[in-house]
Amino acid sequence: MHLVLGGALLTPFFLLAALVVPLAFDGVNPFSDFPWQFAAFAVALPLAALGALLFPLLRTLEATAARSLCGLPADVTAELTEEPADSWAARRRTALWFVAHLTAGGIVSGMTLAAPPAAVMLILLPVTDPLRHAELGWPDLAGGLLGPLTGLGLLALVAGTTWAGGRLLARAAPALLGRTPADRLAAAEQRAADLASRNRLARELHDSVGHALSAVTLQAGAARRVLDADPEFARQALLAIEETTRGAVAELDTVLGLLRADGDDPAGTPAPVPAPALDALDALLDRTRAAGLRIDADVDDGCGRLPPLVSREAYRIVQEGLSNALRHAGAVPVRLRIALDADELRITVENPVQTDPVQTDPVQTHPVQTHPVQEDPVQEDPEQRGKTVPPSDTAVGASRPGGGRGLPGVAERARLLGGEARAAGRDGVWRLTVRLPLGASR
C-alpha cells in the first residue's frame, strides 16, 4: 500500500511534466510515445523534490504514512519524527525520501498496471489460437509452450520489485525521516528546559508550603497543649495559624501562576501575585517567631536595593533555613545574618543542634556543594542531622519518608545564580551559609 501511495502521489507531478516536455521538444507526446513517458517520469522527480523542499509539513505526512503502511518494527517507528522539517538539512532529507518514495511507487505502479494482464495472456498462449499470436503482437515462444513460464516469471518480477522497493524504503526511513542532529539537540534542550521548570516549581512548593506546614504544626501542637490552661495563648496561636495559612495560600497561588504561565493560560485569568522577596522578610520573621522560633536577625539595610532575582531567591533560602530549624530543632534560638558586600550577598543561618541520646554520633555533617569541591564531605542525608523526636505528637523532628529536599533545593538555587551553599554541623551548632553573586541572572 505504501508503494501504491507513492505512485498516486507521483501522478500530479507526472502530469505536470507531461505538459512541460512538449514545450521543450516539438512533436512529442509523452502520453502516447513510450520512450517519452520515461522522460516525463524523469522530469517529474525534480519537481517532486522541489515541492518537498518548499513544504515542511511533508515530513510529518510522510512519516505518518511510513509508520502506518510500511510495517516497520517498533524500534524503527520510534525513530521517525512527527515534527515538520524546519531546517534546510531536514528538508533535504525529506526531499530525498520523497523522491525515493515516488520513484519506487511509480515503478511498482507502472509494473502493476502492465505486467499482470501481459502475464495472463502469456499463460494462456498454449490454449489460444496460434494464428492470433501474430495479430496481437505476441511472439510464438515455441508454439506458446514457453508462455506460461514467461508469464509466471513476469509476475515474479513484479513481486520481487515490490518487495525490494519496500525493503529499501524501510531501511532508508530512519535516516531520512528521523531526527537530524539539530532536531535531537533541540529536543534535548526542550527536555532540559522542562526538567528545569519542574525543579523550579518543586522548589517553590517545598519552600512556601513546607515552611507554612512546619509553622502550623508547631503552633497547633502548642495550642492543643495549653488549650485548657491558657486559653489566651491558644487563641493567639490559632490567629497565627490563620495568618500563616493565608500567606501559604497566597504563595501557593503564586506557584500555580508559574505553572499556568508555562502552559496554556486561559483568557481572563488574573495575573498571579509576585513571588515574595526580601522586602517581605519582616512578615516571614514574624510568622516564624509566632511558631516558637526565637530569631536574632541582623539584615543589611541595602537589601532593599538588590536585583529582583537575587532578592527572591534570597527570601526562599532564608525561608528554607528557618523551616529546617523548625522541623529538626524545634523552638530554639536562631541567628540570621544577611550581609551585603560589593559584589555578593551572604546569608548565614545558625541554630543549636538537639542531640539524640540513643545516637552514638548525634551530629551528622553534610556540606552542600554547588561550585567548588568542599573539604571533608560526609555522605549522609543533610536533613537527618541531629534530630530528636519530642514526646508530643507534633513530631517536629520526625523523619519524613523518602528524605527531604530542603538543603538540595537551597543548593540548586545558589548554583543557578552562580553562587554556592554549604551546610554543616560543628561544635553543637548547625550552620547554613550561602553566597549569591549580585550580577546573577537566569
Side-chain angles (χ1 to χ4, degrees), residues 86 118 304 365 377 410 440:
D86 295 327
T365 62
V410 170

Side-chain angles (χ1 to χ4, degrees), residues 256-270:
L256 295 179
L258 294 174
L259 183 60
R260 287 192 295 266
D262 290 340
D264 296 331
D265 193 7
T269 300

Side-chain angles (χ1 to χ4, degrees), residues 215-259:
V216 166
T217 300
L218 284 175
Q219 292 162 346
R224 177 185 57 79
R225 288 192 296 269
V226 301
L227 181 60
D228 296 328
D230 192 350
E232 180 61 26
F233 178 85
R235 186 179 299 108
Q236 293 177 0
L238 292 175
L239 178 61
I241 290 175
E242 179 183 356
E243 295 176 351
T244 300
T245 53
R246 185 181 295 113
V249 170
E251 292 194 24
L252 180 60
D253 182 69
T254 299
V255 176
L256 295 179
L258 294 174
L259 183 60

